[in-house]
Every structure is written in C-alpha cells, then in structure tokens.
Amino acid sequence: MFSSLARLALPLVLLVGLTAAAQPQEALRGRELKRRRVALSAVTSGKPVVLHVAPGYFTALEFDSSVDRDAVVLGDGGSRFALFEVTTRAIFLNPAMDLGPGRVMELIVPFADGAAPSRVVFSLVTHPAEVDAQVMVSRLPRTADAIQAELDEVRAACATKDAELDALRARSVASGPAGMIFAGLLDRGGLQSERVESGVGQKGGSGLEFVEGWTHRTSTWATVALRVHNGGRESWSPVEARLSLVASGERINVLAVHMREPRIEPGKAALVVVETGAPSWPEGAVLRLELRDSSEGARRLLIPRLPF
C-alpha cells in the first residue's frame, strides 16, 4: 500500500505492538478492535464518516490515493492525541484521553490530486464497546460495484425528491382558491384588497424602502404585501414584523413574515408578506408596521401610518 515503508516503520511497529498488547485487555476494557473498508463517492463526499477511537488504542487510516499532508486538519489541533501522524497515504491516531460522551471531533483529509471527491471528513467519537483499528479508505479507481452503489444512491435521492415534489404539488392544489375555501380561509365575507401608497414609507438611514404594496383582508385572516427595495450595501432579510394601532398603540398579533427569496441583495427588490389572524381592528384604521432584521432591529423598514 505504501511507497516508503521505511518512513512508516516506527508507527507500524507501535501499531502492531499496541494492538498485540491490547488484545488480552479487550475483555477488561470492553472494546473490540474493528477492521473496516470505506468507499468514497461524489454522492457521499459531504457526509462525515464516523470513526471510533479510544485512548490506549491506535487507529490506522490507509488511503488508495495521495493525501495533501499540509492541508489535513484535526479539530483541536491534536492536543487531545498522544500520536497524530500523517503521511502521503496513511494517518495514525492515538487519543490521549476519551473525547467525552457525545463529543465529536472532526478530521478533514483533502486529497492531493484534486479529483472528486476532493476530501473526506471523519467524525471522531469515543465508543465504549469498539475501536476502528484499521480503516482502508478506497477512492480510486472506481470499480463496477462502486459505480453501481453510487447509482443506487442517486436513484434513492431522486425518489426522495420526487416524493417531496408530489407533496409540494398536493400542497399547491390545497392552497389554491378551492383549497382556501375548503380550509375555511375564504368565506362568504369575501376578500377586500387595497393599495398601499408608497409615500407613507420611510427610507431613513437603513437604505430600505418599499416601492409598492397591497393589503388583503377577510373575516379570518389579513395580509400586508410590500415590495421592498434594498438600497444598502449589505443583503437584508426581515425576520420579525411589529404591527400596532396608531391611535391606541395596541399590538396586533403577527402570525408570520414570508418572503420567497432568502434575502434581498443590495440594489434588488423582493416581495415581503406579513400575515395576521382574524382582523381585530376596524376597517380603515391606521396601523404602524415595522419590519426588522433581528430583535435588535439593526436595519429596519418603518411605515408609521398604514391605512388598513
């Protein structure tokens, strides 16, 4: 497996010696030595490989392609390990102590050739019953069995996505006009819609302003839809809306703030929808709306007077 056995002589001697010494103590320590094979693929490259390590035992990772030794990263820099040795085709580990219940340490191993998968991530954990003493990591060449396994993974992923798409389609039908009627969201009281004049908004120093807006009102729900323009230098996303009556200051319960995009990029505009439950305020009342990007409201859009 390795091109330079001489450089690996000391780690291998230590590994063999410790493994032999550990064998009679396995019953006492309650840990079984395991020998594993790990096959990497482009599909599974983003999933960490769980690796069982323990103090008093060596774990040897053997790779079938060259490792970028200088780019290998161990979560704590190796402070919890009595031995952390990296060669071009192998890594040797020996923890100095248990990592602790539920504690996970990450080992990132990039490959030197840049081919996919470009790296493998190991999640190091302490297992009370077993240790991965030898792990053979295969990446190249790809065998027919490996290709078939990857194809099976892709098919399974596609089947999951198809199920999610079917669920979204069903939800779309249910949330259409007929679905709203069946759900009791649209009754004989009908739907009232009014335009919000952009002149009631304030741009202030946040670089945010709304270009146009509409209010929608039924007997069971109400919404304010605003097209917000981000004139600032950083992206913005509203996470909170505060709605209240101007006359009394009474707060109105906001159910959700919706936006199709994850954020509004600088120089762009997007539609923001504020949703409430059944309107508790009289028609034509003047409301105050504040859209905030956090509880502190570092950047906010304030509409001090909103006829609704």
Side-chain angles (χ1 to χ4, degrees):
M1 176 63 72
F2 309 115
S3 59
S4 302
L5 293 177
R7 288 183 296 175
L8 301 179
L10 177 58
L12 286 176
V13 168
L14 291 173
L15 174 63
V16 172
L18 183 56
T19 301
Q23 300 260 357
Q25 301 176 19
E26 285 177 9
L28 175 62
R29 298 186 179 184
R31 287 189 171 103
E32 179 185 359
L33 300 181
K34 294 286 188 178
R35 186 169 181 261
R36 296 174 52 195
R37 290 185 180 272
V38 175
L40 304 179
S41 69
V43 174
T44 61
S45 61
K47 302 176 182 178
V49 177
V50 177
L51 196 65
H52 296 156
V53 298
Y57 293 90
F58 277 89
T59 294
L61 304 176
E62 302 174 13
F63 301 89
D64 66 351
S65 52
S66 296
V67 168
D68 186 352
R69 296 177 58 184
D70 296 333
V72 173
V73 177
L74 182 60
D76 70 340
S79 63
R80 288 177 173 264
F81 286 78
L83 176 68
F84 176 52
E85 182 74 20
V86 181
T87 73
T88 56
R89 288 294 184 93
I91 295 177
F92 299 93
L93 300 167
N94 179 17
M97 63 188 75
D98 281 340
L99 300 182
R103 181 179 176 85
V104 177
M105 188 169 296
E106 205 170 65
L107 172 63
I108 303 174
V109 183
F111 294 103
D113 57 11
S118 61
R119 67 175 190 169
V120 57
V121 178
F122 296 96
S123 292
L124 309 183
V125 299
T126 300
H127 193 281
E130 62 186 43
V131 174
D132 292 322
Q134 183 183 19
V135 181
M136 291 162 283
V137 183
S138 62
R139 173 172 170 264
L140 297 174
R142 299 172 66 198
T143 64
D145 289 341
I147 293 174
Q148 183 61 50
E150 184 174 344
L151 179 59
D152 291 341
E153 292 170 357
V154 172
R155 286 173 174 168
C158 290
T160 301
K161 294 300 181 183
D162 287 341
E164 293 176 354
L165 182 59
D166 290 341
L168 287 174
R169 286 171 176 164
R171 181 176 178 182
S172 177
V173 172
S175 61
M180 293 178 68
I181 294 174
F182 291 141
L185 299 177
L186 192 60
D187 55 22
R188 61 183 180 182
L191 172 67
Q192 301 176 25
S193 178
E194 297 291 341
R195 182 177 179 181
V196 179
E197 298 295 333
S198 58
V200 302
Q202 286 187 347
K203 181 175 181 179
S206 65
L208 301 168
E209 61 180 342
F210 84 90
V211 182
E212 55 184 346
W214 307 267
T215 60
H216 303 89
R217 180 186 182 119
T218 72
S219 61
T220 57
W221 56 268
T223 61
V224 180
L226 304 174
R227 186 167 299 279
V228 178
H229 180 265
N230 181 10
R233 296 182 179 181
E234 298 181 358
S235 60
W236 182 78
S237 178
V239 299
E240 181 184 4
R242 298 183 178 182
L243 195 61
S244 59
L245 287 167
V246 171
S248 64
E250 177 186 353
R251 288 285 293 270
I252 296 171
N253 184 34
V254 174
L255 298 180
V257 182
H258 302 283
M259 196 168 68
R260 183 176 300 172
E261 299 80 359
R263 62 189 63 86
I264 306 177
E265 300 297 339
K268 303 293 185 179
L271 192 64
V272 179
V273 179
V274 178
E275 179 183 353
T276 77
S280 59
W281 61 94
E283 292 185 25
V286 179
L287 307 183
R288 181 183 186 272
L289 174 61
E290 182 181 0
L291 296 176
R292 304 163 66 95
D293 59 347
S294 66
S295 59
E296 291 79 18
R299 292 182 68 195
R300 62 174 186 165
L301 174 62
L302 174 64
I303 303 176
R305 298 184 65 83
L306 172 66
F308 197 166

